[in-house]
Amino acid sequence: METTGHFLSPTRQAEILPFETAPRSVVGYARDYPSGLSTGFHSHPRAQLLHAVSGLMRVETRGSSYLVPPTTALFLPTDVPHAVSMDGPVAMRELFLREDAARRVGDQPKVITVSGLLREIVIAVCAEPIEWETQGRGYHLAELILDEIARSTPLPMRLPLPRDARLLRVVSGLRDRPDDKRSLEQWGEVANASSRTLARLFRVETGLSFRQWRQQARLTEALSALTMGMQPTRAAAIAGFDSVPAFGLAFRQFFGMTPGQARRLRDG
């Protein structure tokens, strides 16, 4: 495992190595982490499915940010550098997929909906030994979980991240306060760049306009809050909306579900 993060110590690397090299198609790794812990950027020689049965994870790759509440999981292909941060205590249940198994799931990072069935299978696989019986319970669980992952609904929870230092100042501020209403002209003072330059950089580096990026960041944070049980009124405020109906309309257009449906995702 390649790593640059302070959290992934030699002891933890030795602990996780058997899961990264297991001969089985799917193996599960269960560990609980305290709030505020961050792994730093690292990668694994096997694809992963990152799921938290409780708590919220924030995962960053070199060009994207993902929110991963308990109603979702993040699939990461082999060797993708990423960093995981814990928003509150996190009970992580992680799967490592052998190359042939990963090919059945996909070749790009994606956040998927975790149904009640998928959640229980993930937990069950994590309770199996690393070298489960090839004709036993572990085999059937692995086959079912690969099918469930492939069938799961992808969610638009990828937020593209820029690299330009000026744009990163704007992005950092908006991620800390999604409801910040400052205009691009006002953000120009923070970034020490003209609004025209920032507008061009947003398009070039994220593929989105400033308004599109800000709305996606806001709605993604609101979705995370809703799946954790927050009321739509408060989620609308997080997303910068004064009107709950207007928030509901924008939310449905982006995610294809209502805020009420998003809240019910936590029940599987």
Side-chain angles (χ1 to χ4, degrees):
M1 171 173 53
E2 178 189 351
T3 176
T4 58
H6 63 279
F7 163 60
L8 291 169
S9 64
T11 300
R12 171 164 161 76
Q13 291 183 49
E15 176 186 326
I16 209 168
L17 181 61
F19 297 86
E20 296 179 319
T21 58
R24 300 296 181 257
S25 58
V26 179
V27 292
Y29 178 77
R31 182 61 93 77
D32 296 347
Y33 299 108
S35 176
L37 199 65
S38 179
T39 65
F41 271 92
H42 65 285
S43 63
H44 297 277
R46 288 203 173 173
Q48 300 167 268
L49 188 76
L50 298 174
H51 174 59
V53 293
S54 64
L56 177 67
M57 295 183 290
R58 293 177 183 266
V59 183
E60 290 200 2
T61 63
R62 294 299 185 190
S64 304
S65 175
Y66 302 87
L67 277 177
V68 191
T71 52
T72 70
L74 173 63
F75 171 73
L76 286 175
T78 302
D79 293 326
V80 172
H82 62 282
V84 185
S85 300
M86 317 301 169
D87 267 16
V90 170
M92 185 188 291
R93 301 299 179 260
E94 180 177 3
L95 303 181
F96 289 94
L97 282 62
R98 202 171 58 199
E99 184 179 357
D100 57 319
R103 283 198 300 266
R104 295 169 55 181
V105 174
D107 59 2
Q108 296 295 322
K110 60 181 178 180
V111 176
I112 62 171
T113 299
V114 173
S115 65
L117 174 60
L118 181 54
R119 183 183 304 113
E120 293 305 317
I121 307 171
V122 169
I123 293 170
V125 169
C126 287
E128 288 288 308
I130 294 177
E131 295 196 26
W132 37 259
E133 293 293 331
T134 55
Q135 299 301 318
R137 182 171 183 263
Y139 168 78
H140 295 295
L141 287 171
E143 287 297 302
L144 182 56
I145 205 164
L146 291 173
D147 186 60
E148 283 296 302
I149 295 171
R151 290 170 177 264
S152 295
T153 305
L155 294 171
M157 294 183 73
R158 171 186 173 269
L159 187 66
L161 297 178
R163 296 193 177 189
D164 185 272
R166 294 163 294 180
L167 212 56
L168 282 172
R169 296 189 195 108
V170 181
V171 165
S172 178
L174 287 171
R175 294 178 74 188
D176 288 340
R177 286 287 309 276
D179 60 341
D180 195 310
K181 296 184 184 297
R182 274 181 285 184
S183 67
L184 196 56
E185 287 74 16
Q186 291 170 312
W187 279 112
E189 298 176 9
V190 175
N192 194 26
S194 69
S195 60
R196 187 172 182 176
T197 296
L198 292 179
R200 178 180 57 81
L201 287 172
F202 262 106
R203 286 286 189 187
V204 170
E205 298 213 357
T206 72
L208 302 171
S209 70
F210 167 69
R211 291 182 181 276
Q212 289 171 327
W213 192 95
R214 181 174 62 180
Q215 183 172 57
Q216 183 171 332
R218 288 172 167 180
L219 291 174
T220 301
E221 290 286 350
L223 173 59
S224 175
L226 288 164
T227 61
M228 299 297 286
M230 184 175 287
Q231 293 292 333
T233 303
R234 293 185 60 195
I238 287 176
F241 284 84
D242 298 322
S243 164
V244 174
F247 163 66
L249 178 61
F251 190 91
R252 184 167 187 172
Q253 287 176 337
F254 191 75
F255 292 113
M257 69 179 89
T258 66
Q261 289 170 324
R263 291 189 77 225
R264 289 193 290 275
L265 285 175
R266 68 190 310 219
D267 300 322

